[in-house]
Amino acid sequence: MTGTAGASILARLGARRDRVLLPAWCYLLIALAVGTAYTFKGLYPTLASRLSFATTISANPTLQALTGPTYDLTTIGGLTAWRIGGLGGALLGVMNILVVVRHSRAEEEAGRLELVGAGAVGRYAPLTASLLLATGTDLIIGVVIGAGLALVGPPVGDSFVLGMALAVVGAAYAGIAAIAAQLTETSRGANGIALAVLGATFLLRAIGDSAGPGVRWLSWLSPIGWGQRIRPFAGDEWWVFALPVGCAALACWAAFALAGRRDLGAGLLPGRPGPATAAPGLRSTLALAIRLQRGVLLGWLVAFVVVGGVFGAVAQDMVNIVATSPQLGRIIAQLGGATGLGNAFLAAVSGLLGLLSSVYTVQAVLRLRGEETAQRAEPVLATGVSRTSFAAAHITVAAVGGALLLVASGVVTGVAYGLRSGDVGGAVGSVLGGAAVQVPAAWVLAGVAVALFGLRPVLTGVAWAAVVVCFLIGELGPSLRLPRWAMDISPFTHVPRLPGGTLTGAPIGWLLGVAVVLVAAGLAGFRRRDIG
């Protein structure tokens, strides 16, 4: 029996388990790429309009830090490659990290790999299967993106180059995740290490693309930067493909080498022993939930503060860009209201941050399912802790944490925008209001996750599909001119558009009511079903 015996069977099993999550990721990334091309085709139909847009973008280093270098913005394909090269590479990196860790370290941590390994399964089969699943998904996404872009209008060859550029960036982060899975004993630790590498490489690319020629070499230290420097629709530098492919191959080789040098269930980095006795503050279920989730919440908080500061700093520049296109102005008005381009853009930013906060709330709620499947919930519930208090503690952390993220990002965005506009106090108040009204919509998606956890725990992955649907409706709905009934599916469509709009209590009240009903249904179901 070889070391990879049974890998193909485990890969098929992983695809079966992720039959909701992986299609959701595929749909998100493909729709983002193809929808972006379709949107640009409507916004800038002529060469003159694209030249005007390119002139504005090329002179703004902050925007290049967000999206990447501008090679050729005179074509729809070039605009699409510029817009999704950095964001698409980062999202694919996140997907690959989560998939590889979920099917390697997380399975090992839960004890399932020990049972699987007792059969005719090789030592390296689980790691091989996770990499096959991740890179196979990358390949599917890349091919479909290429075909979809070609249908929109850009040249077929360059469309597939862009799709494959994104795919190999994802594969590079799959290899990095495979290494991280060998280092720690927990899936949270592995995800944390790999996502930290992703964040650091994104930051290196941002600095290299915006800080001037002297530090441009920093972009060559990032897989995301490599994907952009393949230059789809701007010359196609084929040799750059060797960098992410080589990184993926080297990282996978290192991961297999490390996997052979550790015990099953152990990590190469020693685990930190906890204190002999618990602190007095850990006597409640809420304190335990906070302790378990504080690291994740802190990471999200840092990300929201950074993103809020960046959006606030570029808000005035984006207003100037929007002014160059009447079509883009109409879309921003649909997203953020029609009272001034500045207010409309800030309202659109608040909507985006609201969508991102829902990702955190769903993740925090589904920690309940993770505690249950890892068999850590049962010992807690065997004491005097009720099921309702156990679940309510994690739900409270999710709800309060989501609100905290939006408030913090609203304050930082307002300060950054106020410093540029000369009215810090007014900007903070208006932007903070726009961020705060997004909270009930984020709580609705958290309620969906609670309801699924309590009533049909095997379908908790549908909560992520709901987040993806809301994201696509919010980001692509106006440009694709979806019918009103389709837009109304997303709870964020019903949020008052602030700043600049009118604050009305009825939609907020309805959203809060829906969230409460969903949470109540989930708690009732959890009280009546079997654990596990």
Side-chain angles (χ1 to χ4, degrees):
M1 185 175 66
T2 65
T4 59
S8 61
I9 298 175
L10 291 180
R12 292 197 298 272
L13 175 62
R16 174 72 174 78
R17 291 181 58 201
D18 286 352
R19 61 189 179 277
V20 174
L21 289 178
L22 287 181
W25 273 107
C26 292
Y27 189 74
L28 170 64
L29 292 162
I30 293 166
L32 178 65
V34 178
T36 297
Y38 182 83
T39 300
F40 275 131
K41 187 176 181 179
L43 292 176
Y44 303 102
T46 65
L47 179 60
S49 62
R50 294 192 290 271
L51 285 173
S52 176
F53 179 79
T55 302
T56 306
I57 292 296
S58 300
N60 194 315
T62 306
L63 291 176
Q64 293 187 39
L66 283 174
T67 55
T70 56
Y71 293 120
D72 183 5
L73 302 184
T74 62
T75 64
I76 299 300
L79 285 169
T80 304
W82 162 77
R83 183 64 184 86
I84 71 166
L87 176 61
L91 288 175
L92 265 168
V94 172
M95 184 202 77
N96 279 266
I97 289 170
L98 296 179
V99 169
V100 170
V101 173
R102 169 178 165 82
H103 293 284
S104 57
R105 172 53 66 180
E107 291 294 285
E108 192 171 343
E109 181 185 9
R112 288 186 286 267
L113 284 191
E114 188 171 3
L115 297 175
V116 171
V121 175
R123 176 73 173 87
Y124 305 108
L127 182 59
T128 304
S130 67
L131 290 169
L132 287 174
L133 185 61
T135 54
T137 306
D138 292 334
L139 182 61
I140 292 172
I141 291 173
V143 170
V144 178
I145 284 178
L149 290 178
L151 291 175
V152 173
V156 176
D158 285 322
S159 297
F160 280 96
V161 170
L162 176 57
M164 290 299 102
L166 293 172
V168 295
V169 170
Y173 284 108
I176 292 171
I179 293 177
Q182 313 311 313
L183 299 180
T184 70
E185 297 179 354
T186 65
S187 58
R188 292 197 305 276
N191 280 324
I193 291 173
L195 291 174
V197 172
L198 172 62
T201 52
F202 186 89
L203 183 61
L204 287 172
R205 183 214 58 77
I207 295 173
D209 289 338
S210 61
V215 295
R216 194 160 293 164
W217 58 271
L218 289 175
S219 299
W220 289 95
L221 302 178
S222 168
I224 299 174
W226 299 337
Q228 292 175 315
R229 276 152 183 77
I230 293 174
R231 300 180 61 147
F233 302 99
D236 296 343
E237 298 286 350
W238 291 92
W239 69 271
V240 183
F241 271 107
L243 296 177
V245 172
C247 175
L250 182 62
C252 290
W253 173 84
F256 283 111
L258 295 175
R261 288 169 171 78
R262 64 175 181 85
D263 292 332
L264 185 67
L268 292 173
L269 299 177
R272 186 178 62 179
T277 58
L282 288 177
R283 292 176 178 172
S284 68
T285 54
L286 179 60
L288 176 62
I290 293 173
R291 176 64 180 82
L292 291 174
Q293 303 219 35
R294 65 183 183 183
V296 174
L297 178 57
L298 180 60
W300 275 98
L301 185 61
V302 172
F304 263 66
V305 168
V306 172
V307 170
V310 171
F311 275 127
V314 303
Q316 191 59 49
D317 299 319
M318 288 302 299
V319 170
N320 297 333
I321 293 172
V322 171
T324 65
S325 172
Q327 299 95 327
L328 183 56
R330 285 195 295 270
I331 291 176
I332 292 296
Q334 289 177 322
L335 288 171
T339 309
L341 286 178
N343 286 336
F345 176 76
L346 291 173
V349 168
S350 296
L352 176 60
L353 292 173
L355 280 165
L356 293 176
S357 72
S358 70
V359 177
Y360 164 76
T361 59
V362 170
Q363 179 188 28
V365 167
L366 293 186
R367 180 62 186 270
L368 283 166
R369 182 60 178 167
E371 292 295 299
E372 182 181 4
T373 56
Q375 299 181 351
R376 291 188 292 265
E378 192 169 357
V380 174
L381 295 174
T383 64
V385 176
S386 68
R387 294 192 182 194
T388 300
S389 63
F390 171 73
H394 286 272
I395 296 169
T396 301
V397 172
V400 175
L404 177 62
L405 296 179
L406 285 169
V407 169
S409 62
V411 171
V412 175
T413 303
V415 169
Y417 180 65
L419 291 174
R420 292 287 304 272
S421 63
D423 182 16
V424 175
V428 170
S430 60
V431 177
L432 181 58
V437 296
Q438 306 293 327
V439 173
W443 285 353
V444 169
L445 290 179
V448 172
V450 175
L452 290 169
F453 166 73
L455 299 172
R456 294 288 293 172
V458 295
L459 298 179
T460 50
V462 175
W464 291 118
V467 173
V468 171
V469 169
C470 291
F471 179 84
L472 293 175
I473 290 174
E475 295 305 301
L476 301 178
S479 59
L480 297 178
R481 299 177 182 177
L482 294 180
R484 186 65 194 177
W485 65 265
M487 296 291 294
D488 287 341
I489 294 174
S490 171
F492 293 95
T493 305
H494 306 279
V495 172
R497 293 168 180 173
L498 300 176
T502 302
L503 178 61
T504 54
I508 294 177
W510 277 107
L511 291 173
L512 289 174
V514 171
V516 170
V517 170
L518 289 171
V519 170
L523 290 176
F526 182 52
R527 290 179 60 187
R528 289 169 173 78
R529 68 172 176 83
D530 292 335
I531 296 295

